[in-house]
Amino acid sequence: MTIDRFEGDYAVLETDEGMVNIHRAHLPSSAREGDVVTYSNGGFSIDREATDDLRAEVREKLHRLLTGNND
Amino acid sequence: MCFALTFVPKQPVYPAEGEMQVHFIDVGQGDCIYIAAGTENMLIDCGEADESVRAVGYLRDMGVKRLDYVVGTHPHSDHMGGMDNIINAFEIGEFIIPHLDDEDIPTTSYFLRFLDAAEKHGVKLTEAVTGSEFTVGDAHCEIIAPNSDKYEDINNYSVGIVVRHGSRSFIFTGDAEGVAEREMIDGGRLGRVNVYKVGHHGSSSSSTAAFLGVIRPEVAVISCGAGNPYGHPTDAVIKRLSAYTDNIYRTDLCGNIVITSDGSSLRVSAERSSR
């Protein structure tokens, strides 16, 4: 699951079942938009490694598409 | 006896000569705005993935086959969740997104699907350049935001656009919040506008008193979903808007809203009458 955004007291998560609202208080206070989170043992935690890997993949693709248009 | 069947290809429905149409397409809790003038057009945002299917249908029903400009104001699902559907459905001239700091590059599946669709169809993807100008038919568009390279909140990266048609003007600010509104004011590109697409669906984090004091809108349009859990639009924003106008139209109440400019006056039509 990925945190798409925060809306007031809610966090909006992108999940396999679609977009889901949860109360922001259920997430670690350090959670940021774009963080990959996992749910286990009744709580959410941030998967930093998965977040960094995914971000690197998207960044590479985005930069390649943007650069390609400046040729 | 037999009848000859003649298949007449559907022709795109362009606005009447000298007119510009701005369609606030009802995509529930999200934004989707279609602007057409002359034989050119622009789409700003598309709503969630499932809602974007409705937007595709709406545009196809008008005969739209090509979008000269598509703007993804910022990477949140209620604005860009279905951009892969848009790219797959229409020929696209140029796709504009904001510059994002490397630390704020999205990690969502819908954003990856958007990039994959752009790559597959060879869509020209560019970053918004604040201060740059372009035309859509006889409408003049100016990018007024973002004004910084890095923000704490993704909403503030929103691409802001002022569209001028004759003496009439519209402003679209995505989900820009107070920080970005202040930058737009300080950027000196703002003045009074006729129509304000209310920032962030009427959240109290946007439409600050200072911002409204500069743009002083005659008409406000709020794009939001009925019974959304976020309380959009907030009473605070409705109150702030009402200092300038009582002409507040909401997609959750009115459905699709179309504002037509002839360059000197505006006509508003809506799917449902209640504001």
Side-chain angles (χ1 to χ4, degrees):
Chain A
M1 291 175 285
T2 303
I3 302 172
D4 183 58
R5 64 187 187 276
F6 297 104
E7 296 279 4
D9 292 335
Y10 288 97
V12 183
L13 303 184
E14 184 188 58
T15 75
D16 291 342
E17 285 78 44
M19 308 305 293
V20 173
N21 292 301
I22 64 166
H23 278 284
R24 194 171 183 159
H26 294 313
L27 291 171
S29 58
S30 62
R32 296 180 66 242
E33 291 169 284
D35 283 348
V36 176
V37 296
T38 55
Y39 184 81
S40 62
N41 299 323
F44 288 94
S45 56
I46 300 165
D47 187 336
R48 285 275 167 236
E49 193 178 346
T51 303
D52 292 344
D53 288 351
L54 206 46
R55 184 160 282 141
E57 179 191 343
V58 181
R59 182 190 303 138
E60 186 274 329
K61 187 165 284 190
L62 175 60
H63 285 185
R64 183 157 44 82
L65 285 172
L66 287 168
T67 309
N69 291 325
N70 293 331
D71 287 345
Chain B
M1 189 174 177
C2 65
F3 297 92
L5 291 174
T6 306
F7 293 97
V8 180
K10 194 166 189 173
Q11 296 300 309
V13 180
Y14 296 118
E17 192 174 340
E19 291 193 339
M20 174 179 76
Q21 288 180 353
V22 179
H23 298 244
F24 299 86
I25 303 171
D26 179 12
V27 289
Q29 180 67 15
D31 272 13
C32 184
I33 301 126
Y34 172 73
I35 299 167
T39 57
E40 293 187 314
N41 60 16
M42 170 164 67
L43 185 75
I44 302 176
D45 291 334
C46 68
E48 298 280 356
D50 50 352
E51 298 288 345
S52 72
V53 175
R54 281 166 53 188
V56 167
Y58 183 97
L59 294 172
R60 279 191 171 150
D61 284 350
M62 288 196 298
V64 174
K65 291 185 172 63
R66 173 186 161 88
L67 297 166
D68 295 293
Y69 295 93
V70 179
V71 179
T73 60
H74 66 294
H76 279 159
S77 69
D78 53 337
H79 292 255
M80 292 185 67
M83 279 305 185
D84 55 333
N85 292 329
I86 299 295
I87 291 172
N88 290 330
F90 303 105
E91 179 191 344
I92 290 174
E94 182 175 349
F95 201 115
I96 301 169
I97 59 171
H99 168 79
L100 300 164
D101 185 86
D102 277 353
E103 289 181 6
D104 294 323
I105 300 283
T107 55
T108 44
S109 306
Y110 69 80
F111 195 79
L112 256 177
R113 287 198 303 272
F114 151 61
L115 293 182
D116 287 342
E119 185 168 42
K120 180 182 170 190
H121 292 277
V123 170
K124 184 184 179 191
L125 195 62
T126 57
E127 288 182 339
V129 177
T130 299
S132 64
E133 300 174 12
F134 57 97
T135 55
V136 173
D138 57 352
H140 178 268
C141 307
E142 180 180 12
I143 295 182
I144 58 163
N147 288 282
S148 294
D149 292 331
K150 168 77 177 159
Y151 292 99
E152 284 300 306
D153 192 313
I154 302 289
N155 284 334
N156 287 320
Y157 283 103
S158 291
V159 177
I161 303 179
V162 170
V163 177
R164 297 184 180 89
H165 184 250
S167 66
R168 303 296 94 180
S169 56
F170 293 65
I171 186 168
F172 307 91
T173 59
D175 281 357
E177 301 186 351
V179 168
E181 289 181 350
R182 168 47 62 187
E183 289 179 337
M184 285 183 246
I185 296 169
D186 294 344
R189 302 178 199 282
L190 283 184
R192 185 164 201 182
V193 298
N194 299 101
V195 180
Y196 171 41
K197 198 293 294 177
V198 176
H200 199 180
H201 324 288
S203 163
S204 59
S205 59
S206 304
S207 306
T208 51
F211 187 71
L212 294 181
V214 174
I215 65 169
R216 293 181 293 149
E218 266 175 32
V219 177
V221 180
I222 302 173
S223 189
C224 62
N228 70 80
Y230 318 122
H232 296 163
T234 60
D235 292 342
V237 165
I238 297 292
K239 188 174 175 190
R240 292 204 287 266
L241 287 170
S242 64
Y244 300 96
T245 181
D246 291 325
N247 296 315
I248 301 172
Y249 296 88
R250 301 168 45 165
T251 58
D252 60 335
L253 302 178
C254 302
N256 303 311
I257 297 158
V258 182
I259 302 183
T260 303
S261 162
D262 64 8
S264 57
S265 65
L266 300 173
R267 299 193 307 275
V268 182
S269 62
E271 195 178 3
R272 297 188 292 274
S273 63
S274 66
R275 286 188 188 174

